[in-house]
Amino acid sequence: MEVLYGLHPVEEAIRAGGRQLDHVSVARERRDERLERLIELCRTAGVRVSLESRDQLTRLARTDAHQGVLAVVRERKFLGIEDLLAPKAEGQHRFFLALDGVEDPHNLGALLRTADGAGVDGVILPERRSAPVTATVAKTSAGASEHVRIARVTNLVRALEQMKQKHVWVLGLDERGTPDYTDYDFKGDCVLVLGREGAGLHDLVKKTCDHLLRIPMAGQVSSLNVSVAGAIVMYEAMRQRRQPAAPPARKPVKERKGLGS
C-alpha cells in the first residue's frame, strides 16, 4: 500500500479510478467547504473516511504538507511500452514524452502535470536513474499523475527503438541541437525526450534520436530547467496539432474560349 496526501492528489485519485483506495483520513481540526466536498466525493465513490489528528497525518505522510487529507491506496501498476503504442483512431497522431534520468520528484511532478494539460498520450520512465512516482510527485503534479498513462521500461534506448519501429519519430531536446523547436512539424507520431537536470541526454539516448531540437536562449545562461523546457515544447506541439489541416490547393481553371474567338 502507498500513501497519497493533499486535497488535489487524493481527489484526482478518486476521480481517476485507476487504483483501489483502502481509506481516506482527514484531520479532525480541519472543517471547510473544500474538505466537505472531498468527503462527499468519498461517500459517492464508496471510499471509507476516518478522522485522525493532524499530528497523526503528519507522521503517516512524513511531511506537514498534507493539507489535512491523506489516502491509503494500492501500489500503482505501470503500463508497458506496447500498451502506449496501441493505435489511435484513424487520422489521430500520437505524442509521447520520455524522460532520460529526471531524478528530482518536483521536476517529475511538474512534467506530469504539463503532460496531462498538453494532452500527451503517454509518458515513458526508465526503472533506474529516475525519480519514482511517489506522493511528493503526486502532490507536485496537483493529482495529474493519477490521470497520465505511464510506462516503466528497463532500457530506455530499447524502448525508443521499439517506438521507431512503429513509425514514431524520436525528438531529443538539446541546447546544441538544430533546428529550433518552433521550426519542427509535430503533427506526426513523435516522442519528446528530455534529459537529466544539468547534464541533459545520455550519449546513447542522444544517438538514438532522429532529431535534436533546441530552445533558443537570448540571455547568458545556456538552458532552462527541464520542467520549464518540457512545458514550452509540449505546448508548442499541442498548438500545432490543434491547427486545422490546410485545405487542398485548388487547380487553376483554364479560361474557356468561345467559338470565333
Side-chain angles (χ1 to χ4, degrees):
M1 303 296 280
E2 295 179 352
V3 167
L4 291 178
Y5 58 81
L7 275 165
H8 283 303
V10 173
E11 181 179 354
E12 297 307 326
I14 298 170
R15 293 188 190 281
R19 46 182 172 163
Q20 184 179 347
L21 280 77
D22 182 78
H23 68 275
V24 171
S25 296
V26 298
R28 291 192 185 93
E29 297 87 344
R30 175 167 181 171
R31 276 295 176 271
D32 56 60
E33 186 178 346
R34 291 182 68 193
L35 187 62
E36 292 301 327
R37 286 201 302 267
L38 177 65
I39 293 173
E40 185 58 35
L41 180 63
C42 289
R43 289 175 180 149
T44 303
V47 178
R48 180 167 57 92
V49 178
S50 65
L51 296 177
E52 303 283 354
S53 68
R54 183 174 288 275
D55 289 342
Q56 174 66 5
L57 295 185
T58 300
R59 283 192 291 271
L60 291 171
R62 298 181 181 178
T63 175
D64 59 1
H66 48 70
Q67 298 177 301
V69 179
L70 179 145
V72 178
V73 299
R74 292 201 177 276
E75 186 176 350
R76 179 172 188 149
K77 292 183 179 179
F78 293 99
L79 302 174
I81 194 69
E82 299 81 6
D83 300 311
L84 294 189
L85 291 173
K88 294 187 73 171
E90 187 176 355
Q92 293 186 9
H93 294 290
R94 298 165 295 180
F95 181 61
F96 303 104
L97 175 68
L99 304 182
D100 176 25
V102 174
E103 298 183 341
D104 186 324
H106 297 91
N107 280 335
L108 177 56
L111 284 165
L112 293 179
R113 185 173 185 174
T114 302
D116 179 64
V120 170
D121 293 295
V123 178
I124 300 99
L125 301 177
E127 290 181 354
R128 297 185 300 113
R129 298 184 302 196
S130 175
V133 185
T134 60
T136 301
V137 171
K139 183 74 164 55
T140 307
S141 74
S145 60
E146 295 298 316
H147 296 281
V148 177
R149 302 171 72 224
I150 302 176
R152 278 279 196 186
V153 297
T154 54
N155 187 304
L156 181 59
V157 170
R158 190 180 305 136
L160 295 176
E161 291 288 359
Q162 284 181 260
M163 301 184 87
K164 291 171 81 167
Q165 291 171 9
K166 296 294 185 180
H167 311 293
V168 177
W169 290 93
V170 179
L171 313 172
L173 195 60
D174 186 84
E175 63 187 57
R176 292 173 293 277
T178 183
D180 288 357
Y181 76 101
T182 52
D183 295 329
Y184 187 81
D185 184 356
F186 288 97
K187 292 180 182 177
D189 289 348
C190 53
V191 52
L192 174 66
V193 190
L194 303 178
R196 301 160 287 171
E197 296 93 344
L201 299 168
H202 287 91
D203 288 339
L204 195 52
V205 172
K206 193 181 296 186
K207 289 177 183 177
T208 308
C209 294
D210 296 305
H211 299 282
L212 293 175
L213 311 180
R214 67 185 287 269
I215 297 175
M217 302 290 292
Q220 299 302 311
V221 297
S222 61
S223 62
L224 298 170
N225 170 276
V226 63
S227 63
V228 175
I232 290 172
V233 181
M234 279 188 268
Y235 270 92
E236 169 62 16
M238 186 180 78
R239 183 193 69 80
Q240 290 188 21
R241 295 157 80 90
R242 280 189 167 185
Q243 289 179 342
R250 296 181 61 183
K251 292 183 179 180
V253 180
K254 288 185 178 180
E255 183 181 353
R256 299 184 64 183
K257 296 181 179 179
L259 291 174
S261 61

